[in-house]
Amino acid sequence: MKKFTVFLLFMVISSSILSGCSEQPQEGKTVITFQTWNPADSGPDSPIYKIINAFEKENPDIKVKYVNTKSDTYQEHMRVELIGENGPDIYGISAGSAFDAFRIFEEDLTPYCERTWGPDWQDKFLDSCLKNVSDDDGRIYGLPLGQTYAGYMWADVNMLKKYDCEVPKSYSEMKETCRILRENGQYPLAIGAGDSWMNLDMWMSIAADCDRDALYDAIEGKTTFESEPLVESFRIWQDSFNNGVFQDKAVKMPIYDTVNDMFQRDGTIPMFVNGSWAMNMYTVSDERTRKIFDCEGADHDVFLIDWNDDGTVAPVTANADVILCLNPESREKETAFRFMAYLDDEGQDLLVNQYLEYMPSRADMELNVQGLSEDGKKNLDYIIENGKSNVAGPRGIKYEDLSLAVCDVLEELAYGRITPKEAAEKVELVSGKIIR
């Protein structure tokens, strides 16, 4: 549920400003600003610069100013910028509660899509991605730049073999594998539990394994979070901290660049939690990654396990990522949308088929990744197959207060401050107050 007091403040402030957000033309060019935490960082080898350079070459009358903001402060930073008069023309946002919460800062893109791609423009995108960017009346408020799948774990198979271990297939096997690793002074399953979004990703896969209908019905208020399957999912989550499945002090460690670097660039841990976007480990130009992760003889598995030991492997969750939005206060909306369309067409082709930043969000896109090692091809096939047949539902929770409540209890469970039953009660108390 959106916080109405915050939105009233937004509306008051928004009505009192507005001189537009595009920069004045420079040297005969129209300047538009694009701000995001993703699809790539601000380094000189970032693929975003290749996309911008190609776009500017095809459109010499346009200059794109790119602003990268770190993911841990992105949403708060964007709120401030969009309230003020210097907000970007185009910005990226996450699917779910963040996208819905920013609605007053999102231009209705339906007429732009119709003019650019014709009356059947919706056929261009996967239905699952369009649902992430549309309202109940079918209006579209963002373009899905790619799609991601969450709930995966990654293993260094060669490192596991050093300890006579295999990639676990169930929670009971995971506990035994982590016990052996710890006895040998090694990390167990590493998670960046300092990031609430990572915790939500992992828990939702666990909960969907326990009962996906119970999970999504509870999110929509059709049933209670106090149901037995969801209490069990909270128990498994807490047990993973108490019984040594996750590393010590996991709640103090972020995924980027701490836990991720330990696996990708240092090669010092045998397993970690990350999503389909981690496939870019096979494509980044970073020398340490090439030397450690993708060297000759490297063997890695992206994998899922049966968390509740009922014989069925956990599903993944899926969402559009990143969603490109057009600022309603932009003075150059048509020009800005031209770049947005380019990002979703030629840009997505590059980001997926050369860099594996995402999986496709477009139905008309051919997946043809270049230069992958055999190890990379094997793991891409696994992700694609699960994307076709093993998706529980949307990644994340679209109701902001409910999402925050779940993230809060996941942290409290990790610290051992509450019981699984108490966690379910706390979330249900918030859920009952949400207007859906």
Side-chain angles (χ1 to χ4, degrees):
M1 180 181 68
K2 300 178 179 66
K3 296 182 178 179
F4 292 108
T5 56
V6 174
F7 273 88
L8 286 173
L9 177 61
F10 283 174
M11 294 298 288
V12 170
I13 297 175
S14 296
S15 64
S16 66
I17 58 175
L18 305 175
S19 58
C21 51
S22 300
E23 294 188 6
Q24 295 298 318
Q26 297 177 0
E27 299 178 355
K29 295 185 178 183
T30 300
V31 181
I32 55 173
T33 303
F34 171 43
Q35 184 163 336
T36 185
W37 82 100
N38 203 295
D41 60 26
S42 57
D45 295 327
S46 170
I48 191 62
Y49 292 113
K50 293 185 178 180
I51 297 171
I52 291 173
N53 290 340
F55 174 79
E56 290 178 341
K57 187 175 181 180
E58 291 186 19
N59 299 271
D61 58 327
I62 302 173
K63 173 68 177 177
V64 178
K65 179 182 177 182
Y66 172 58
V67 180
N68 179 266
T69 304
K70 289 187 177 295
S71 61
D72 57 350
T73 60
Y74 184 77
Q75 186 167 325
E76 293 78 8
H77 186 86
M78 285 307 306
R79 285 183 189 272
V80 174
E81 293 228 347
L82 290 167
I83 289 174
E85 58 186 58
N86 295 314
D89 298 278
I90 307 161
Y91 64 94
I93 199 72
S94 298
S97 60
F99 178 66
D100 288 346
F102 275 63
R103 185 54 42 84
I104 63 170
F105 304 121
E106 298 163 358
E107 178 84 0
D108 178 5
L109 299 180
T110 310
Y112 297 87
C113 294
E114 291 174 348
R115 288 195 295 271
T116 301
W117 294 308
D120 298 325
W121 65 268
Q122 291 178 324
D123 295 340
K124 183 180 184 66
F125 297 99
L126 296 171
D127 289 342
S128 59
C129 292
L130 277 183
K131 289 178 182 178
N132 291 153
V133 298
S134 305
D135 65 9
D136 293 338
D137 296 321
R139 291 184 293 261
I140 182 172
Y141 287 92
L143 296 183
L145 184 55
Q147 184 165 220
T148 52
Y149 301 102
Y152 286 114
M153 292 155 284
W154 292 76
D156 185 327
V157 178
N158 291 332
M159 189 178 295
L160 287 176
K161 287 179 180 178
K162 291 180 181 179
Y163 305 103
D164 295 322
C165 294
E166 297 180 350
V167 178
K169 298 179 181 178
S170 65
Y171 185 47
S172 57
E173 288 185 12
M174 177 65 80
K175 287 189 286 188
E176 177 63 13
T177 298
C178 291
R179 181 190 66 79
I180 294 171
L181 292 171
R182 281 179 172 272
E183 286 181 352
N184 285 274
Q186 182 53 268
Y187 262 63
L189 175 63
I191 183 172
D195 293 315
S196 59
W197 63 267
M198 174 60 69
N199 298 339
L200 186 61
D201 277 347
M202 190 75 266
W203 172 77
M204 287 192 70
S205 182
I206 296 171
D209 189 31
C210 292
D211 190 328
R212 69 184 70 191
D213 291 334
L215 170 63
Y216 288 103
D217 283 349
I219 290 173
E220 293 301 329
K222 298 176 182 178
T223 188
T224 176
F225 277 89
E226 297 178 77
S227 66
E228 183 178 344
L230 296 188
V231 173
E232 174 67 1
S233 71
F234 287 131
R235 186 197 67 77
I236 294 171
W237 172 258
Q238 187 173 58
D239 187 65
S240 296
F241 290 89
N242 292 342
N243 287 348
V245 169
F246 296 141
Q247 80 274 24
D248 298 339
K249 299 181 179 179
V251 290
K252 298 292 187 180
M253 301 176 69
I255 181 66
Y256 299 110
D257 291 313
T258 303
V259 175
N260 186 79
D261 276 7
M262 294 168 71
F263 188 84
Q264 174 182 328
R265 305 183 75 224
D266 301 333
T268 56
I269 59 175
M271 297 184 294
F272 87 134
V273 176
N274 213 350
S276 64
W277 55 91
M279 277 297 301
N280 69 2
M281 293 186 290
Y282 291 101
T283 61
V284 294
S285 59
D286 174 62
E287 291 184 5
R288 284 176 61 186
T289 300
R290 301 279 62 77
K291 182 179 179 180
I292 298 297
F293 178 81
D294 202 24
C295 61
E296 184 176 352
D299 187 3
H300 300 90
D301 279 1
V302 58
F303 69 103
L304 299 161
I305 66 170
D306 173 12
W307 283 99
N308 64 343
D309 289 321
D310 67 350
T312 303
V313 70
V316 295
T317 57
N319 249 359
D321 189 18
V322 167
I323 298 175
L324 302 171
C325 296
L326 177 60
N327 188 341
E329 303 308 327
S330 170
R331 290 196 299 260
E332 301 291 347
K333 293 180 183 179
E334 292 293 342
T335 302
F337 187 82
R338 196 191 314 177
F339 179 60
M340 293 172 70
Y342 189 90
L343 278 169
D344 237 338
D345 284 328
E346 289 87 344
Q348 186 175 161
D349 287 337
L350 181 80
L351 291 167
V352 173
N353 283 325
Q354 290 191 35
Y355 290 92
L356 280 175
E357 290 285 339
Y358 315 109
M359 297 298 110
S361 67
R362 287 182 7 226
D364 64 352
M365 182 176 176
E366 180 183 357
L367 189 62
N368 183 28
V369 181
Q370 302 297 310
L372 270 186
S373 64
E374 291 303 314
D375 193 43
K377 292 176 182 177
K378 169 191 67 177
N379 287 320
L380 181 59
D381 287 345
Y382 184 82
I383 289 171
I384 294 299
E385 181 57 35
N386 277 277
K388 292 177 180 178
S389 61
N390 191 30
V391 177
R395 177 187 172 201
I397 298 173
K398 66 180 181 178
Y399 305 107
E400 185 176 24
D401 286 355
L402 184 57
S403 180
L404 291 172
V406 172
C407 289
D408 286 345
V409 301
L410 292 177
E411 181 177 335
E412 291 188 84
L413 286 165
Y415 277 113
R417 295 168 180 162
I418 59 175
T419 67
K421 187 174 184 297
E422 289 170 339
E425 291 171 351
K426 284 191 170 188
V427 175
E428 182 58 29
L429 186 62
V430 174
S431 180
K433 298 177 182 178
I434 292 176
I435 299 174
R436 295 173 170 87

